[in-house]
Amino acid sequence: FGSVAATSRRRGVQIVCIALAVLVSLSRMYLGVHTPADVCVSLIIAAAMLFVLYPVFSSEERFHKYMPVVSAVSILLSIGLLLYAFLTPEGEVDAANLYSARKNASTLFACTLCLLPVYLIDKNYTKFDTKAPWYAQIIKIAVGLGIVLGIKSGLSKPLVALFGNEFVARGVRYFLIVAFAGIIWPMTFKFFAKMRIPALDKIGKKIGAIRNHETDYDKVYTTVLKDLREGYLGRVTFDRL
């Protein structure tokens, strides 16, 4: 959320991302899974990483130049954490903390391991375009998020049964989540870009007109209600699909 807020030029996107970052932090404490100290330290680390890495992602040219290096360093650091967590003898530290460290190390290693193939496939094959009508963006996010949550929740027990090890199963599950979010789902974006719902297009245009002070508010409100009553929302077309 911080990286999106820092790189986006849209004030609304920045506000939403900052709000989500704050809400996620508060939710961790509310659910009792992290202490205030955990959250504060993580926010400080995230802010430091954002400050250090922002120049790397400030332009597309820099991104393509440094992303393989960033991915490789991330994988090496995650391997270090993985070795530290699993080579630490049980009994030397609190059992709950050691268990949490091994879970987090497994998750981090799997996610960072998938970053490099995601980047290479995106650069050389997918090259997806994020542009789409506003309602297609909402559908894209909602459906994609639903599938990710389904993978996260639905594959937990089957993978544990398959591998016989909770940490290996966790790593595989998060590898699949990143692979889906970074490789598979972006392949559908071209279909969302072509998606058209005439009534919603009209509403979007009229809202745009209101923002540009090009039309009367009452007239737009009446026209939008008329469009909705006439049932245009049921018509969905895909151009050149």
Side-chain angles (χ1 to χ4, degrees):
F1 297 131
S3 61
V4 174
T7 55
S8 177
R9 296 181 180 179
R10 297 182 179 182
R11 181 60 61 87
V13 173
Q14 293 175 339
I15 293 174
V16 170
C17 287
I18 293 172
L20 287 173
V22 173
L23 289 174
V24 168
S25 302
L26 293 175
S27 70
R28 299 294 86 193
M29 293 184 287
Y30 177 78
L31 294 173
V33 294
H34 288 291
T35 65
D38 293 336
V39 173
C40 290
V41 170
S42 66
L43 288 175
I44 292 172
I45 293 174
M49 290 180 64
L50 181 61
F51 178 78
V52 171
L53 294 176
Y54 177 75
V56 175
F57 301 105
S58 59
S59 69
E60 187 174 357
E61 181 181 355
R62 286 175 173 268
F63 173 78
H64 289 303
K65 181 178 180 181
Y66 293 110
M67 184 59 187
V69 177
V70 171
S71 298
V73 172
S74 299
I75 291 172
L76 291 175
L77 290 175
S78 65
I79 290 175
L81 177 61
L82 194 71
L83 292 174
Y84 176 77
F86 282 92
L87 292 179
T88 299
E90 296 184 8
E92 282 194 5
V93 296
D94 180 69
N97 284 336
L98 182 59
Y99 174 74
S100 178
R102 289 176 175 176
K103 281 202 328 181
N104 293 333
S106 302
T107 303
L108 182 63
F109 173 68
C111 292
T112 54
L113 187 63
C114 198
L115 278 180
L116 190 57
V118 165
Y119 165 72
L120 293 175
I121 292 174
D122 172 38
K123 179 183 177 183
N124 299 302
Y125 176 71
T126 312
K127 299 178 182 178
F128 62 85
D129 188 359
T130 58
K131 294 180 180 178
W134 63 270
Y135 48 83
Q137 299 283 28
I138 294 174
I139 296 172
K140 182 198 306 181
I141 293 172
V143 175
L145 183 60
I147 296 175
V148 166
L149 293 176
I151 296 173
K152 183 177 182 296
S153 302
L155 292 183
S156 180
K157 292 182 179 179
L159 288 176
V160 171
L162 177 63
F163 292 102
N165 184 291
E166 177 186 356
F167 302 113
V168 173
R170 186 179 184 85
V172 172
R173 182 159 49 103
Y174 277 89
F175 185 92
L176 293 175
I177 288 174
V178 176
F180 170 79
I183 300 174
I184 298 174
W185 191 239
M187 292 182 182
T188 69
F189 287 7
K190 60 183 178 181
F191 298 106
F192 286 105
K194 299 173 183 178
M195 185 177 185
R196 294 294 182 271
I197 302 178
L200 295 182
D201 286 332
K202 289 183 178 181
I203 293 172
K205 289 179 181 179
K206 291 188 171 65
I207 292 175
I210 290 174
R211 293 178 64 182
N212 293 326
H213 305 285
E214 294 177 356
T215 189
D216 182 76
Y217 290 86
D218 293 332
K219 182 178 178 181
V220 171
Y221 179 76
T222 304
T223 304
V224 169
L225 286 181
K226 181 180 178 182
D227 289 344
L228 293 175
R229 290 195 190 101
E230 290 179 359
Y232 287 112
L233 288 177
R235 303 177 187 175
V236 180
T237 61
F238 291 82
D239 299 333
R240 293 172 297 169
L241 185 60

